[in-house]
Amino acid sequence: NFIVTVHKLRAPGQTMTRIPLFVWATYATAIIQVLATPVLGITLLLLIAEKTLGVGIFDPSLGGDPVLFQHLFWFFGHPEVYVLILPAFGIVSNIVNANSVRPIFGTLGMAGAMLSIGFLGFIVWAHHMYTVGLDVDSRSFFSAATMVIAVPTGIKIFSWVFTIWASPVASKTNVPLLYVSGFIFLFTIGGLSGVLLANASIDIPLHDTYYVVAHFHYTLSMGAIFGVFAGFYFWAEKLWGVKYNEGIALVQFWSFFVGVNLTFFPMHFMGLAGMPRRIPDYPYIYAAWNTVSTIGSTMSMCS
């Protein structure tokens, strides 16, 4: 629906190079969903066939290959994270544009960056699988391809920052722009830890530790969610005709910003110290940073 609308139902004179970045983000997201989601559906059908009909697909006792399940799952699972972040890119671009005295720096480059992020998202899935016994050539390819994603993402970050920097800010209580600034800061931290984890040699000791949890929460829980909040504050008045209280909104922003950083930043230290993911309890040596995380998550919930 979205793809056809973008191609066929544009206004007269509205060429592809002139559509807003929010529409580009939706367009790139829709392409990823069309290509990635069926793979998950097929994988689940194969899993159901194995469980009900006893066909050997993933279960080694039936002659199947468990690593094949990971390949199929992550071929959906990795593009899926761009389905989550690309709409936030569109919201951020829209808000930066609305608060600027000039169009976003490098608009065409920004659109191209979103499309290339979508394309690259499909050829990096096995960076989630460095510990399953991939051969060295595969690990080299997936490491290199994953690091390349930092280039279009970096283009977007710099374009937003330059545009904000070149424009006078209307007021210090501009909550949507505050959330955009938080988004850029947090997404950059998450992106840098992602470049680190792209290296197979570094990822192998860090795989399934809290370092990975810190990385993807900085990009998604703090990138995508900050984008959602920015959009909420930006469009709230248009949606409901009610103006939010700016004072309370500022308290909400700062308590949320401090809370999420207190929650997730210590997880880098826990991960580097070797604390694994998905455990119900942890050795006492990790208690101090876990306490800091608990305080931060309580702050985030309250905000």
Side-chain angles (χ1 to χ4, degrees):
N1 195 327
F2 282 140
I3 293 167
V4 172
T5 304
V6 168
H7 277 287
K8 293 292 181 190
L9 299 177
R10 295 194 305 277
Q14 178 87 312
T15 59
M16 286 296 276
T17 55
R18 295 174 69 183
I19 60 176
L21 287 172
F22 185 78
V23 180
W24 272 114
T26 310
Y27 176 66
T29 306
I31 292 172
I32 296 172
Q33 285 179 305
V34 165
L35 296 173
T37 315
V39 179
L40 179 69
I42 292 161
T43 309
L44 292 173
L45 283 173
L46 291 172
L47 197 60
I48 292 163
E50 182 173 78
K51 296 292 182 196
T52 54
L53 307 174
V55 189
I57 300 163
F58 305 126
D59 187 344
S61 64
L62 298 170
D65 179 6
V67 176
L68 175 63
F69 177 83
Q70 284 205 23
H71 276 296
L72 289 171
F73 174 80
W74 283 118
F75 189 81
F76 156 79
H78 194 80
E80 160 64 11
V81 300
Y82 297 108
V83 169
L84 299 174
I85 199 66
L86 280 171
F89 285 173
I91 292 169
V92 166
S93 300
N94 206 341
I95 294 169
V96 170
N97 211 358
N99 286 283
S100 301
V101 292
R102 42 162 291 167
I104 285 191
F105 179 80
T107 304
L108 263 182
M110 293 282 271
M114 281 192 274
L115 290 178
S116 53
I117 286 168
F119 168 72
L120 291 166
F122 278 99
I123 57 168
V124 297
W125 76 91
H127 67 206
H128 297 270
M129 298 170 55
Y130 287 143
T131 55
V132 303
L134 296 176
D135 62 287
V136 71
D137 289 343
S138 299
R139 292 203 302 267
S140 305
F141 166 77
F142 284 107
S143 288
T146 305
M147 283 188 270
V148 168
I149 289 191
V151 177
T153 316
I155 288 168
K156 299 191 73 57
I157 298 287
F158 281 115
S159 295
W160 288 324
V161 170
F162 283 145
T163 309
I164 295 169
W165 179 67
S167 303
V169 179
S171 80
K172 286 193 170 70
T173 57
N174 188 332
V175 181
L177 203 59
L178 212 53
Y179 262 104
V180 163
S181 307
F183 169 92
I184 293 170
F185 173 72
L186 298 169
F187 190 80
T188 303
I189 292 177
L192 291 171
S193 61
V195 173
L196 204 73
L197 288 167
N199 294 275
S201 51
I202 298 176
D203 180 81
I204 285 166
L206 292 178
H207 184 83
D208 264 344
T209 67
Y210 261 52
Y211 192 90
V212 178
V213 178
H215 156 67
F216 71 72
H217 281 84
Y218 261 86
T219 48
L220 290 177
S221 286
M222 295 149 83
I225 299 301
F226 267 63
V228 170
F229 267 117
F232 172 82
Y233 281 113
F234 184 61
W235 284 304
E237 216 177 331
K238 295 177 183 69
L239 284 169
W240 295 290
V242 179
K243 182 85 175 115
Y244 57 84
N245 183 309
E246 283 200 339
I248 298 174
L250 285 172
V251 171
Q252 191 268 325
F253 169 78
W254 285 110
S255 57
F256 192 56
F257 184 78
V258 172
V260 289
N261 277 291
L262 274 179
T263 306
F264 295 111
F265 204 80
M267 291 184 184
H268 292 100
F269 308 140
M270 294 183 228
L272 289 167
M275 179 171 164
R277 297 168 64 183
R278 306 193 186 101
I279 53 172
D281 205 350
Y282 48 82
Y284 182 71
I285 192 169
Y286 301 121
W289 285 123
N290 270 290
T291 307
V292 175
S293 275
T294 305
I295 293 164
S297 66
T298 309
M299 261 184 85
S300 308
M301 271 174 62
C302 293
S303 89

